[in-house]
Amino acid sequence: MRLLPAILVAILGAVQMHAQNISRAYLDHVKVIDDSIVAVPLTEGTQSAALELRFRTHGARQPVSLIWNMSDDMLRYDAVSVEGSADPKDPFASQPEVVVRYHRVGDGVDSSIVVAAVPQDYPLDVAWHTFSIEIEENVCRVGFGRGVPEEVALINSGIIIPAQMGVMAGGGADVALLVSEVMTDALPQRYRGIMDPEILDSISRKPPQPGSPEGVWKALDRDTDSRRALAGGRYRLLITENGDGFDIVYLGGAEVADDEWAPGMLRGHLTPTGFEGHYDLEWVDARHNLISSDAYCQMENDMIISLQFPLLKSVLRFTRE
């Protein structure tokens, strides 16, 4: 399976990919698939999903399928299957190949097309082979091989991110490895909403409280290491009490990805530490990547606060508006 490469992390707003979580699950309990379906549920919010199977069939021409978008009654699903086209042990057979087909099954109809034919060195019931799919929005990559699977087909017709995937083997197959991999957006759900404009205006008009970070703040200055972090703009922020701490709400000033930000979007959260004027900081950078550790907020006095990112050797300071 392919993993998307890591990119330079520039937390304060550098141009970079959205932060993502990659999780992998090994289904070690699956040793045999015998005329049945092994379902693999996926995480809500999945952005891409992959399934890899190392198998050996119980018959030379028995198909193995990786499936997704299954209905509860299994009357509808999408699948990619591999199947030997001929018995390699038959001296009168044509050149042995493994045929790769894409199926869309629904309403009693199996619409399938051949998307690849791979030369076959050993029968599928004699040697172990590896079969994989990787699904992103509108694309399904198919891999196959004796060892590490090589991409043999690319399907880009109406592919959607599934809620679950699965494996099906007509006639049965032995399993040496079954692993799923999902990539999800690392940004928690609470950072995806936007505050009602009237509520935002009302809170913004509240007078500041002495000794509290509550109030409207505007950018004062910054000290950033450009090799590690780039400032995303000269922000205006609203800090307002919420639950166990204070929410940081975006009001304006973005310069990087400014079209992705609107007043009222949550930009971060402060949690009191027990030390006066000192808070643990969660911060969402310009590209919506979350920093949830090794970041702090310090009230220098009632007029100045600083957001500190020690690992990035960077500090943003704000003054009351």
Side-chain angles (χ1 to χ4, degrees), residues 167-190:
V167 183
M168 185 164 53
D174 298 322
V175 175
L177 173 74
L178 178 58
V179 56
S180 67
E181 182 180 275
V182 298
M183 182 176 293
T184 57
D185 194 331
L187 194 63
Q189 187 64 37
R190 65 181 179 277

Side-chain angles (χ1 to χ4, degrees), residues 270-284:
L270 304 179
T271 302
T273 62
F275 296 95
E276 185 176 358
H278 190 270
Y279 304 86
D280 287 332
L281 168 66
E282 276 193 349
W283 179 252
V284 179

Side-chain angles (χ1 to χ4, degrees), residues 39-297:
V40 181
L42 302 180
T43 305
E44 184 179 356
T46 295
Q47 294 183 328
S48 68
L51 195 62
E52 181 174 303
L53 171 72
R54 186 152 180 79
F55 72 96
R56 183 177 58 197
T57 61
H58 293 171
R61 298 193 61 188
Q62 292 175 347
V64 173
S65 302
L66 301 180
I67 61 179
W68 67 97
N69 289 339
M70 304 96 79
S71 63
D72 292 339
D73 56 11
M74 281 304 298
L75 295 179
R76 296 183 302 279
Y77 59 86
D78 291 83
V80 174
S81 66
V82 292
E83 180 180 356
S85 64
D87 187 344
K89 294 174 286 189
D90 183 351
F92 300 103
S94 58
Q95 173 62 41
E97 293 178 324
V98 173
V99 178
V100 183
R101 289 187 174 89
Y102 168 53
H103 306 256
R104 177 160 287 175
V105 178
D107 299 322
V109 177
D110 182 348
S111 302
S112 67
I113 58 172
V114 174
V115 293
V118 183
Q120 182 180 4
D121 297 325
Y122 296 91
L124 297 184
D125 63 338
V126 172
W128 293 95
H129 290 75
T130 306
F131 179 25
S132 68
I133 57 174
E134 181 184 345
I135 298 174
E136 302 173 13
E137 195 67 49
N138 296 320
V139 173
C140 176
R141 293 180 174 85
V142 183
F144 184 79
R146 285 282 315 281
V148 176
E150 297 182 1
E151 186 172 308
V152 296
L154 181 67
I155 304 165
N156 56 11
S157 176
I159 304 297
I160 63 173
I161 303 298
Q164 64 176 336
M165 305 171 80
V167 183
M168 185 164 53
D174 298 322
V175 175
L177 173 74
L178 178 58
V179 56
S180 67
E181 182 180 275
V182 298
M183 182 176 293
T184 57
D185 194 331
L187 194 63
Q189 187 64 37
R190 65 181 179 277
Y191 284 104
R192 302 186 188 189
I194 188 167
M195 187 178 290
D196 179 270
E198 292 186 5
I199 296 176
L200 180 63
D201 181 66
S202 175
I203 296 176
S204 299
R205 294 175 183 275
K206 290 175 58 178
Q209 301 297 314
S212 168
E214 285 189 284
V216 177
W217 301 83
K218 63 181 180 181
L220 175 62
D221 56 31
R222 64 192 181 217
D223 180 8
T224 58
D225 184 340
S226 61
R227 295 169 301 176
R228 299 169 182 253
L230 301 178
R234 296 188 59 81
Y235 298 123
R236 291 180 67 243
L237 304 172
L238 167 67
I239 298 180
T240 180
E241 188 174 9
N242 184 9
D244 64 345
F246 303 86
D247 283 341
I248 304 174
V249 181
Y250 173 80
L251 295 179
E255 295 169 0
V256 173
D258 58 316
D259 59 338
E260 298 181 13
W261 289 96
M265 296 176 70
L266 192 61
R267 197 66 202 251
H269 188 77
L270 304 179
T271 302
T273 62
F275 296 95
E276 185 176 358
H278 190 270
Y279 304 86
D280 287 332
L281 168 66
E282 276 193 349
W283 179 252
V284 179
D285 79 357
R287 292 292 184 181
H288 304 272
N289 299 289
L290 179 66
I291 307 161
S292 57
S293 62
D294 295 303
Y296 313 96
C297 172

